[in-house]
Amino acid sequence: MEANIFIQNGWMLTLAIIIQVLLIILVAALFERNRLKKLAYWDSVTGLPNRNELNRMLRTPKGNIKTAILFLDLDRFKVINDTWGHGAGDSLVKEVGKRLKQFVTSEQQVYRYGGDEFIFVIKGKSVDHAEQLAGLILQSIQNEYQIGGFEFNITVSIGISLGSAHDANYSDLLQQADKAMYQAKKLGENRYCLYSESN
């Protein structure tokens, strides 16, 4: 009888160990899944949502809500990267991201699109609001940056497109904002342009 109790306790102990190991594996898998999800949808340099998150958000139906897209591209960023190295470039992009975060609200979100490009998506606001935001961004970005003991000055060119989920494809709005941004660069940088058919 004592042998049966010993065997029974041994099986219970083994079962308890197996359950603990399975729980540890489950928790580790959930942690890893969350870590991978964060890597997939959040930019590691700026801590901002990235292009994947932007695309996921744009694919989610929102009804017939007015939408403005601001396409931001840092002016002459390549010169900084080539002269001071990618570490300085990443630090500058990180600082720009911090400045852009101050403009995030429940109606507008910023995304790091890639490299030195950022996208603002504004929901339910007027063209005047989009232009006002662009002006505030221009002022904020052009203030000097202190990185690694050096002073950097940079500006940004911004293209603005307007539409809604009902009357335009979001990829069209992104392309229109991109064209308007290049128009801003052609006009001398450090400015914004609204998209028009003539861009």
Side-chain angles (χ1 to χ4, degrees):
M1 179 138 168
E2 287 180 19
N4 284 341
I5 292 173
F6 181 74
I7 291 172
Q8 187 177 10
N9 286 341
W11 280 106
M12 290 179 72
L13 180 62
T14 302
L15 182 60
I17 291 171
I18 290 171
I19 290 171
Q20 287 179 345
V21 169
L22 289 174
L23 285 173
I24 290 169
I25 291 170
L26 179 63
V27 168
L30 288 173
F31 177 78
E32 183 66 11
R33 180 176 178 217
N34 286 336
R35 189 182 73 78
L36 291 175
K37 185 176 178 182
K38 184 168 174 108
L39 287 174
Y41 294 107
W42 293 86
D43 178 62
S44 61
V45 174
T46 62
L48 295 173
N50 65 16
R51 182 189 297 226
N52 293 332
E53 179 62 16
L54 171 67
N55 291 333
R56 187 166 73 163
M57 186 277 303
L58 293 177
R59 284 191 305 266
T60 305
K62 303 282 191 283
N64 193 20
I65 298 173
K66 284 184 181 181
T67 302
I69 304 285
L70 277 64
F71 199 116
L72 289 66
D73 186 89
L74 300 178
D75 299 324
R76 297 177 309 284
F77 178 74
K78 185 178 180 337
V79 173
I80 291 171
N81 245 357
D82 291 348
T83 304
W84 297 94
H86 292 283
D90 283 351
S91 294
L92 182 58
V93 165
K94 182 177 182 178
E95 292 304 312
V96 168
K98 285 180 186 177
R99 291 186 187 183
L100 294 175
K101 283 179 188 177
Q102 70 181 312
F103 301 111
V104 172
T105 68
S106 59
E107 294 91 20
Q108 57 197 37
Q109 175 62 50
V110 64
Y111 301 83
R112 181 167 183 214
Y113 200 60
D116 62 337
E117 297 174 332
F118 298 85
I119 302 284
F120 260 97
V121 177
I122 307 169
K123 300 286 187 177
K125 297 291 186 178
S126 67
V127 65
D128 292 337
H129 178 83
E131 288 185 278
Q132 182 182 23
L133 176 61
L136 292 171
I137 290 169
L138 288 170
Q139 289 175 349
S140 177
I141 297 301
Q142 69 185 359
N143 292 328
E144 70 181 38
Y145 298 82
Q146 294 291 327
I147 296 172
F150 296 97
E151 180 181 304
F152 291 89
N153 292 295
I154 197 158
T155 58
V156 65
S157 295
I158 304 172
I160 303 172
S161 65
L162 302 161
S164 70
H166 182 71
D167 63 11
N169 182 329
Y170 281 120
S171 64
D172 292 340
L173 289 176
L174 284 169
Q175 288 176 353
Q176 292 167 0
D178 187 34
K179 286 180 182 178
M181 180 271 297
Y182 277 107
Q183 183 64 25
K185 284 192 178 290
K186 285 180 192 173
L187 293 173
E189 302 178 335
N190 193 29
R191 67 188 67 231
Y192 69 85
C193 281
L194 282 170
Y195 174 78
S196 71
E197 293 294 328
S198 62
N199 284 358

